[in-house]
Amino acid sequence: MLRAKYDTVEIADGAVLAREETFVPEKAATLGVGEGPAFGKLAAGEAVEVDGRTIEPHAVHEERELRFAY
């Protein structure tokens, strides 16, 4: 069930670790990306152009890790 929601799921150190890459709108805004289609493209993993600069998806995503004891 966790594999359907998260990018990776593994068992380590007595826990289930679930990781996902998530779009962080605040990071995009800091880089000058306005809300709208560019947000959607970045969230989907596509690069966008802003004021002649290319903003790569990795610049506005972060990895979240959740740990579930079992």
Side-chain angles (χ1 to χ4, degrees):
M1 182 160 61
L2 290 175
R3 290 187 199 284
K5 182 175 177 172
Y6 297 97
D7 297 327
T8 63
V9 177
E10 65 182 87
I11 296 174
D13 300 323
V16 176
L17 302 176
R19 293 183 186 93
E20 69 179 338
E21 286 287 323
T22 184
F23 172 66
V24 182
E26 295 81 12
K27 286 185 175 184
T30 299
L31 293 172
V33 180
E35 290 186 32
F39 263 41
K41 287 182 179 181
L42 284 168
E46 299 176 43
V48 298
E49 293 287 325
V50 175
D51 298 327
R53 297 178 298 130
T54 300
I55 308 297
E56 297 291 339
H58 65 82
V60 295
H61 282 78
E62 65 185 23
E63 183 178 85
R64 282 191 337 153
E65 179 179 280
L66 290 107
R67 181 178 290 266
F68 303 95
Y70 69 95

